[in-house]
Amino acid sequence: MGKLEINKKQKKDALLESAFSLFTSKGIQKTSISDIVEKSGVAKGTFYLYFKDKYDIRNMLISHKASRLFHNADQALMDENIDNITERIIFLADHIINQLCENKVLLSFISKNLSWGIFKSALITPSDDSDINFYNIYQKLIYNAECQFKDPEIMVFMLIELISSTCYSSILYDEPVPIDKLKPYLFDSIRDIINRHKTEDNIIND
Amino acid sequence: MGKLEINKKQKKDALLESAFSLFTSKGIQKTSISDIVEKSGVAKGTFYLYFKDKYDIRNMLISHKASRLFHNADQALMDENIDNITERIIFLADHIINQLCENKVLLSFISKNLSWGIFKSALITPSDDSDINFYNIYQKLIYNAECQFKDPEIMVFMLIELISSTCYSSILYDEPVPIDKLKPYLFDSIRDIINRHKTEDNIIND
Amino acid sequence: MGKLEINKKQKKDALLESAFSLFTSKGIQKTSISDIVEKSGVAKGTFYLYFKDKYDIRNMLISHKASRLFHNADQALMDENIDNITERIIFLADHIINQLCENKVLLSFISKNLSWGIFKSALITPSDDSDINFYNIYQKLIYNAECQFKDPEIMVFMLIELISSTCYSSILYDEPVPIDKLKPYLFDSIRDIINRHKTEDNIIND
Amino acid sequence: MGKLEINKKQKKDALLESAFSLFTSKGIQKTSISDIVEKSGVAKGTFYLYFKDKYDIRNMLISHKASRLFHNADQALMDENIDNITERIIFLADHIINQLCENKVLLSFISKNLSWGIFKSALITPSDDSDINFYNIYQKLIYNAECQFKDPEIMVFMLIELISSTCYSSILYDEPVPIDKLKPYLFDSIRDIINRHKTEDNIIND
DNA sequence: TATGAATGAGGGTTCATTCAT
DNA sequence: CATGAATGAACCCTCATTCAT
């Protein structure tokens, strides 16, 4: 990579990092492009060399940050030896929840956006610097499962919506209870949802 | 109520209705106070006699509109004769979902805001023109139930988060499936969540 | 007129005068709205209370200034006693040319714009503060003439285009000759054009 | 011409052609140097190796395009056998008008600029790639005429101003009438102007 | 010669808020 | 109470120009 290319990457990364920092500290609406370039130490025009507008940089950030969450969880799953699909999903959920507990600003940033719409648009399209995306993980899980599902897409949809919306309030505000108190109930519901989608000859009582 | 007071109420109502219409048609961010007062036919300064800013009027609207949803569902429930608490909750959920299907702009307005945080701030505080609020309905349901629950607040929290976040995508975008296809799965999950919270001596198989 | 209305008129007039001064001294392209409001001593937002943009204020100025030119010439014509339509037109042309000689910045401002297109859009629509417009003068001239014309609109068109485009260069740059040297030729051509449009039974040798 | 010189000429020509295309399609004001270099497929800095700024390239274009108009008309005139100076001028005017009718974007580009000022600065100075210029044609016409003129420069000035300003409106907007309806009147006026400039012993009645 | 990333001043425009009427 | 003209800071974005490569 030439000197110039390194310089460009540094500029873009500086803008992404500054934007993330500002978005999470003062909110997207209150963050201006002036704020971002000032924090990045580049000129205003430089922003427009790399991004269309504020929402362009936001989408890139969400895509990037969210795919990292899933990638990390998936990596950790590989080190475990869990043969049960239900427990594999629980493991992934738990791992992601734990990452979000450690990184609350990230949670508040992607939180409400980490729902179904974003999966289709952001996670399927691989981010610049890696081949990881949510669909690889999803397919590996479902197709390698020891049992069959009916409407697996609905199942995943319900899991993601339930997990993301309950965790947001619980992790960030301890409302209605802290995440550790919520988890048992949440994992029970995850199991219920999965079981409801198993085809009849595979029902496993847990 | 004197002529002057009626006049004041008319102005405030006009502002609320105009704001709702604009918020739902062009979004809150893109709606300016100029827009609101112009549509209301009042002067700009008048806005500040009734509301602090744009977000003040938004909160009043959410509170008002959401409590109407629950109130309508509760009224309809009274006409039915359902003795089973689980099915009473299902009935309420179904009724609210149907209202939102009929009124998609309302859904997109309160949608993501119709989560736990808003209940505490908006629904508990009774709105100006009625005594209805969510807590009345909640208490009537839980305390008159034929069985006992452990952690009922967590149960309600999970129900609301699951319902509101899945319906948003399903009703508005038919993603991942239209609401009619989602409902069976959703109601099953609601039943599961409720059953998980019943104290052991009350378990009812459904 | 209330105090407030006087104040408003003063603001608008200040903006118009400042804009005219700047347009004529540094050109329309180089004049910014910041320049105009600064010279007017009003806030930037105030500009947008009265005008849509820079070209809106330009059009108002052209319309206003051009109609004044014709009005002045027409007033002067009334004091004369010229019964010949050709010489009445020459008198008007001469008077307007003289006004433009006295006011070269005005010439350079409306100059190239003072052509056919502008008559239709700007001069027919009466300006705010007077009923004068070009069409009144035009009709008075043509319909009260002692003779008839074929295609009078083409005649007026050719006269205006010839006069305005030749005077621009001659008055402002003495190119190819100063206006006083040009006038005899110009007036001869005006007479020729008018004669060409007289219906046959009215030809007057001059 | 070396390979390098050919390359340079290609770059400059690409810039000129791109600029002309953009100037005529979106206007000079709205065309940026970025637009020009992008369309040309050269780098931004390269523009400044050949032109000072946007107005520099515009002037070169006007000069080049206008001289082609006159050159074409003059070439066509040579194929004719018109011994009358008046009709030779009419022929040239007609030919140029016809070229402009065929190429309205060219008309709108040079239109209002095709007046006296531009002849001195643009047409007298021969363009890079040809010896043609307006003054050759002018001198050939006047000095080879079968009669003498007084103030021939004023005559040409008036002809050009009359023709260019009336044609602009008539060809582009059919205002006040389409060019075909205007031509008879215009050519009559051209004849009148020429006749007025003939020295007395040469007057030809037409 | 040629490049194109970087600049940053300056453009037009919006709009929440104030306050004299 | 109600008005709406006035404000002016702040916004986003463009683009001519430079200069290290």
Side-chain angles (χ1 to χ4, degrees):
Chain A
M1 206 190 283
K3 208 180 200 174
L4 204 131
E5 232 113 68
I6 289 170
N7 207 331
K8 276 174 69 174
K9 176 122 183 59
Q10 278 176 343
K11 288 243 156 64
K12 189 172 181 180
D13 284 350
L15 286 165
L16 280 164
E17 274 314 302
S18 302
F20 181 68
S21 161
L22 289 162
F23 286 169
T24 52
S25 62
K26 48 192 284 198
I28 294 181
Q29 304 302 334
K30 293 263 173 96
T31 300
S32 72
I33 289 178
S34 291
D35 295 334
I36 297 170
V37 296
E38 193 181 355
K39 195 176 178 96
S40 304
V42 301
K44 222 173 195 172
T46 306
F47 179 92
Y48 294 93
L49 293 177
Y50 296 103
F51 308 101
K52 211 181 117 287
D53 56 25
K54 198 163 64 176
Y55 299 99
D56 188 30
I57 200 171
R58 180 201 58 181
N59 289 341
M60 291 197 186
L61 279 170
I62 288 177
S63 171
H64 179 70
K65 299 284 183 181
S67 77
R68 285 293 294 269
L69 277 181
F70 278 87
H71 177 68
N72 292 342
D74 191 46
Q75 291 288 100
L77 178 61
M78 288 181 200
D79 297 341
E80 304 290 318
N81 219 334
I82 309 172
D83 55 1
N84 182 321
I85 174 72
T86 304
E87 294 314 310
R88 289 171 74 83
I89 291 173
I90 298 274
F91 179 87
L92 287 174
D94 189 47
H95 196 279
I96 290 170
I97 290 171
N98 290 340
Q99 285 181 73
L100 294 172
C101 288
E102 297 293 310
N103 196 347
K104 293 187 181 179
V105 290
L106 177 60
L107 170 60
S108 82
F109 177 59
I110 59 174
S111 68
K112 288 289 180 178
N113 302 304
L114 185 65
S115 59
W116 198 247
I118 220 69
F119 281 111
K120 299 246 164 173
S121 64
L123 289 179
I124 292 171
T125 57
S127 54
D128 287 355
D129 45 3
S130 87
D131 300 318
I132 336 139
N133 62 47
F134 174 71
Y135 247 67
N136 293 140
I137 299 170
Y138 167 74
Q139 296 207 337
K140 211 169 52 179
L141 264 183
I142 301 300
Y143 290 98
N144 294 347
E146 75 283 1
C147 66
Q148 301 258 309
F149 294 103
K150 59 182 171 190
D151 290 327
E153 208 184 18
I154 295 179
M155 178 182 80
V156 174
F157 167 70
M158 289 181 66
L159 290 175
I160 284 171
E161 292 294 344
L162 176 65
I163 296 167
S164 68
S165 66
T166 54
C167 286
Y168 179 76
S169 168
S170 178
I171 294 176
L172 289 184
Y173 307 113
D174 286 347
E175 281 285 342
V177 289
I179 186 68
D180 287 330
K181 185 146 195 316
L182 181 70
K183 269 187 182 176
Y185 292 107
L186 182 58
F187 292 165
D188 279 346
S189 285
I190 292 173
R191 288 189 183 93
D192 288 337
I193 289 172
I194 296 170
N195 270 336
R196 290 275 188 187
H197 282 263
K198 285 183 180 161
T199 51
E200 287 193 355
D201 48 336
N202 291 307
I203 295 283
I204 293 161
N205 291 319
D206 59 333
Chain B
M1 207 189 283
K3 212 175 196 174
L4 201 130
E5 237 128 60
I6 289 170
N7 203 342
K8 276 174 66 178
K9 175 120 181 58
Q10 278 177 344
K11 287 222 159 69
K12 189 172 181 180
D13 284 350
L15 286 165
L16 281 163
E17 274 314 302
S18 302
F20 181 68
S21 162
L22 290 162
F23 286 169
T24 51
S25 62
K26 43 192 288 198
I28 294 181
Q29 304 301 334
K30 295 245 172 129
T31 299
S32 69
I33 289 177
S34 289
D35 294 334
I36 298 170
V37 296
E38 192 182 353
K39 195 173 179 103
S40 304
V42 301
K44 228 172 194 170
T46 307
F47 180 92
Y48 293 92
L49 297 176
Y50 296 104
F51 307 102
K52 205 179 124 288
D53 57 25
K54 198 163 65 176
Y55 299 99
D56 188 28
I57 201 171
R58 180 199 59 179
N59 289 341
M60 291 195 187
L61 279 170
I62 288 177
S63 170
H64 179 70
K65 298 285 182 182
S67 76
R68 286 294 294 268
L69 277 181
F70 279 86
H71 177 69
N72 292 342
D74 191 46
Q75 291 287 102
L77 179 60
M78 289 181 199
D79 297 342
E80 303 288 318
N81 220 334
I82 309 172
D83 55 1
N84 183 321
I85 174 72
T86 303
E87 294 314 309
R88 290 172 73 85
I89 291 173
I90 298 274
F91 179 88
L92 287 174
D94 190 47
H95 196 279
I96 289 170
I97 289 170
N98 291 339
Q99 285 181 72
L100 294 172
C101 288
E102 297 292 308
N103 196 346
K104 292 187 181 180
V105 291
L106 178 61
L107 170 59
S108 82
F109 176 60
I110 58 172
S111 68
K112 289 287 181 181
N113 302 303
L114 186 64
S115 59
W116 198 247
I118 220 69
F119 281 111
K120 299 250 165 172
S121 64
L123 288 179
I124 292 171
T125 56
S127 55
D128 287 356
D129 46 3
S130 86
D131 300 319
I132 337 139
N133 62 46
F134 174 70
Y135 246 66
N136 294 139
I137 298 170
Y138 167 74
Q139 296 206 339
K140 211 169 52 179
L141 263 183
I142 301 300
Y143 290 98
N144 294 347
E146 74 283 0
C147 66
Q148 300 258 310
F149 294 104
K150 60 181 169 191
D151 289 327
E153 206 183 20
I154 294 180
M155 177 182 80
V156 174
F157 167 70
M158 289 181 66
L159 291 175
I160 285 171
E161 293 294 344
L162 176 65
I163 296 167
S164 68
S165 67
T166 54
C167 285
Y168 178 76
S169 169
S170 179
I171 295 176
L172 289 184
Y173 308 113
D174 286 347
E175 282 283 343
V177 290
I179 186 68
D180 287 329
K181 185 149 196 313
L182 182 70
K183 269 186 181 176
Y185 292 107
L186 182 57
F187 292 164
D188 280 346
S189 284
I190 292 173
R191 288 189 184 94
D192 288 338
I193 289 171
I194 296 171
N195 271 335
R196 289 276 188 188
H197 283 263
K198 284 182 181 162
T199 50
E200 286 193 356
D201 47 337
N202 291 307
I203 296 283
I204 294 160
N205 291 318
D206 59 335
Chain C
M1 206 190 282
K3 208 180 201 173
L4 203 132
E5 232 112 67
I6 290 170
N7 207 330
K8 277 174 68 175
K9 177 123 182 58
Q10 278 175 345
K11 288 244 155 65
K12 189 173 182 179
D13 285 350
L15 286 165
L16 281 164
E17 275 314 302
S18 302
F20 181 69
S21 161
L22 289 162
F23 286 168
T24 52
S25 61
K26 48 193 283 196
I28 294 180
Q29 303 303 334
K30 293 264 174 97
T31 299
S32 72
I33 290 177
S34 290
D35 294 335
I36 298 170
V37 296
E38 192 181 356
K39 197 178 176 91
S40 305
V42 301
K44 221 173 192 176
T46 307
F47 180 91
Y48 293 94
L49 293 177
Y50 296 103
F51 308 101
K52 209 180 119 291
D53 56 26
K54 199 162 66 175
Y55 299 99
D56 188 30
I57 200 171
R58 179 199 61 179
N59 289 341
M60 290 196 187
L61 279 169
I62 288 177
S63 172
H64 179 70
K65 299 284 183 182
S67 76
R68 285 293 294 268
L69 278 181
F70 279 86
H71 177 69
N72 292 343
D74 191 47
Q75 290 288 101
L77 178 60
M78 289 182 198
D79 297 342
E80 304 289 318
N81 220 336
I82 310 172
D83 54 2
N84 183 319
I85 174 72
T86 304
E87 295 313 311
R88 291 170 72 84
I89 290 172
I90 298 274
F91 178 88
L92 286 175
D94 189 46
H95 196 281
I96 289 170
I97 290 170
N98 291 340
Q99 286 180 73
L100 293 172
C101 289
E102 298 292 310
N103 195 348
K104 293 187 181 179
V105 289
L106 177 61
L107 171 59
S108 81
F109 177 60
I110 59 173
S111 68
K112 289 288 179 181
N113 301 304
L114 186 66
S115 59
W116 199 248
I118 220 67
F119 280 112
K120 299 245 164 178
S121 64
L123 287 179
I124 292 171
T125 56
S127 54
D128 287 353
D129 46 3
S130 87
D131 300 320
I132 336 142
N133 63 46
F134 174 71
Y135 248 66
N136 294 139
I137 299 170
Y138 168 74
Q139 295 208 337
K140 210 168 54 180
L141 264 182
I142 301 300
Y143 291 98
N144 293 349
E146 74 283 0
C147 67
Q148 302 257 308
F149 294 103
K150 58 180 171 191
D151 291 327
E153 206 184 19
I154 295 179
M155 178 182 79
V156 174
F157 167 70
M158 289 181 65
L159 290 174
I160 284 171
E161 293 293 344
L162 176 65
I163 296 167
S164 67
S165 66
T166 54
C167 286
Y168 179 76
S169 169
S170 178
I171 295 177
L172 289 184
Y173 309 114
D174 285 347
E175 281 287 344
V177 289
I179 187 67
D180 286 330
K181 187 149 194 316
L182 181 70
K183 269 187 182 175
Y185 293 107
L186 181 58
F187 292 164
D188 280 346
S189 284
I190 292 173
R191 288 189 183 93
D192 288 337
I193 288 171
I194 296 170
N195 271 335
R196 289 275 189 187
H197 283 263
K198 284 183 180 162
T199 51
E200 287 190 357
D201 48 336
N202 291 307
I203 297 283
I204 294 159
N205 293 318
D206 58 335
Chain D
M1 205 189 282
K3 212 175 196 176
L4 200 130
E5 237 129 59
I6 289 170
N7 202 344
K8 276 174 66 177
K9 175 122 181 58
Q10 277 176 344
K11 286 222 160 68
K12 189 172 182 180
D13 284 350
L15 285 165
L16 280 163
E17 274 315 301
S18 301
F20 181 67
S21 162
L22 289 163
F23 287 168
T24 52
S25 61
K26 42 191 290 195
I28 294 180
Q29 303 303 334
K30 295 245 172 129
T31 299
S32 69
I33 289 176
S34 288
D35 294 334
I36 298 170
V37 295
E38 192 182 355
K39 197 176 176 102
S40 305
V42 301
K44 228 171 194 171
T46 307
F47 179 91
Y48 293 92
L49 297 175
Y50 296 105
F51 306 102
K52 207 181 121 286
D53 57 25
K54 196 163 67 175
Y55 299 99
D56 188 29
I57 200 170
R58 179 200 61 179
N59 289 341
M60 292 196 185
L61 279 170
I62 288 177
S63 169
H64 179 69
K65 298 285 181 181
S67 76
R68 286 293 294 268
L69 277 181
F70 279 87
H71 178 68
N72 293 342
D74 191 46
Q75 291 287 101
L77 178 61
M78 290 181 196
D79 297 342
E80 304 289 319
N81 221 333
I82 309 172
D83 55 0
N84 182 321
I85 174 72
T86 303
E87 295 313 311
R88 290 171 71 84
I89 290 173
I90 298 274
F91 178 88
L92 287 173
D94 190 46
H95 196 280
I96 289 171
I97 289 171
N98 291 339
Q99 286 181 72
L100 294 173
C101 288
E102 297 292 309
N103 196 347
K104 292 186 181 180
V105 290
L106 178 60
L107 170 59
S108 83
F109 177 60
I110 59 172
S111 69
K112 288 287 180 179
N113 302 304
L114 186 65
S115 59
W116 199 248
I118 220 69
F119 281 111
K120 298 250 165 174
S121 64
L123 288 178
I124 292 171
T125 57
S127 54
D128 287 355
D129 47 1
S130 87
D131 300 318
I132 337 139
N133 62 46
F134 174 72
Y135 246 66
N136 293 139
I137 299 170
Y138 167 74
Q139 297 206 339
K140 209 169 54 179
L141 263 184
I142 301 300
Y143 290 99
N144 294 348
E146 74 282 1
C147 67
Q148 301 259 308
F149 294 104
K150 59 180 171 192
D151 290 327
E153 206 184 20
I154 294 179
M155 179 182 78
V156 175
F157 167 69
M158 289 180 65
L159 291 174
I160 283 171
E161 293 294 343
L162 176 65
I163 295 168
S164 68
S165 66
T166 54
C167 286
Y168 178 77
S169 170
S170 179
I171 294 176
L172 289 184
Y173 308 113
D174 285 348
E175 282 284 341
V177 291
I179 186 68
D180 286 329
K181 186 151 195 313
L182 182 69
K183 269 186 181 177
Y185 293 107
L186 182 57
F187 292 164
D188 280 348
S189 284
I190 291 173
R191 289 188 183 93
D192 288 337
I193 289 171
I194 296 170
N195 271 336
R196 289 276 189 186
H197 283 264
K198 285 182 179 161
T199 51
E200 285 192 358
D201 47 339
N202 291 309
I203 295 283
I204 293 160
N205 292 320
D206 59 334

